[in-house]
């Protein structure tokens, strides 16, 4: 069979993150590259106890697919917390819970960027974000940072 891939396939490359995670299998290495903790320090028994309690009390609920936007009660709590720090007028329907930063970056890029657009990002930039931008055929202009973050003059010049 002759496969034809989308044009974006040409820019997709194996993630350097995968290489960093490969070192986590070496018992002689505690790699900080992927943010992995020393597993011997994790509270395995406490997690097992909590997991067992959740399965006993709410198993039918937690083992089922939920809303793609996240648990409504969590979104309500977050909207309330956000209103306490000045984000007024929010309700649960205004919020979307993601499974992590990578999903958030992917969704925002998908929603706001067209192929050929340019994203301004601090340099160095999170490699996962660079991979997302490349997959949506978005150029990245990395801006320098200092101890205070992005240089406002550099941002103004780039814009």
């Amino acid at each position: 069979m002759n496969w034809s891939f989308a044009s974006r396939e040409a820019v997709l490359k194996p993630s350097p993150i995968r290489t960093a995670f490969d070192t986590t299998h070496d018992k002689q290495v505690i790699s900080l590259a992927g943010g992995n903790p020393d597993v011997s320090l994790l509270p395995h028994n406490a997690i097992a106890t909590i997991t067992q309690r959740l399965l006993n009390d709410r198993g039918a609920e937690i083992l089922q697919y939920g809303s793609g936007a996240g648990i409504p009660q969590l979104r309500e709590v977050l909207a309330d917390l956000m209103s306490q720090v000045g984000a007024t007028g929010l309700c649960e329907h205004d919020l979307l819970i993601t499974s992590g930063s990578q999903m958030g970056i992917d969704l925002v890029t998908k929603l706001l960027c067209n192929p050929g657009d340019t994203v301004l990002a601090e340099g160095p930039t999170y490699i996962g974000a660079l991979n997302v931008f490349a997959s949506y055929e978005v150029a990245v202009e990395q801006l320098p940072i200092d101890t205070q973050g992005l240089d406002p003059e550099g941002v103004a010049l780039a814009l």
Side-chain angles (χ1 to χ4, degrees):
M1 181 176 266
N2 222 356
W3 289 94
S4 178
F5 292 103
S7 61
R8 77 180 63 84
E9 183 274 336
V11 299
L12 299 177
K13 296 175 178 45
S15 171
I17 296 171
R18 185 178 308 144
T19 303
F21 279 113
D22 286 345
T23 63
T24 63
H25 299 293
D26 183 345
K27 300 297 182 203
Q28 302 300 314
V29 175
I30 297 177
S31 172
L32 303 177
N36 294 358
D38 180 348
V39 294
S40 70
L41 300 175
L42 298 175
H44 298 99
N45 291 333
I47 292 170
T49 300
I50 292 167
T51 302
Q52 186 63 54
R53 189 178 75 228
L54 284 170
L55 287 170
N56 289 339
D57 297 349
R58 299 172 58 191
E61 176 188 352
I62 64 173
L63 294 176
Q64 185 56 271
Y65 287 111
S67 164
I71 299 169
Q73 298 90 332
L74 175 59
R75 291 185 289 140
E76 287 173 18
V77 169
L78 290 174
D80 182 55
L81 288 172
M82 292 173 71
S83 70
Q84 293 175 30
V85 295
T88 58
L90 286 176
C91 70
E92 72 165 89
H93 301 292
D94 298 318
L95 300 176
L96 173 71
I97 307 297
T98 66
S99 60
S101 63
Q102 188 79 20
M103 181 181 177
I105 293 166
D106 183 83
L107 290 171
V108 168
T109 306
K110 186 183 300 183
L111 180 66
L112 299 177
C113 297
N114 291 309
D117 285 352
T118 299
V119 170
L120 302 179
E122 63 184 28
T125 301
Y126 169 52
I127 189 69
L130 294 174
N131 289 338
V132 168
F133 299 147
S135 72
Y136 288 110
E137 303 174 61
V138 174
V140 179
E141 183 176 337
Q142 292 190 20
L143 303 177
I145 60 171
D146 59 23
T147 58
Q148 301 297 311
L150 281 172
D151 172 29
E153 291 177 17
V155 174
L157 184 63
L159 291 173

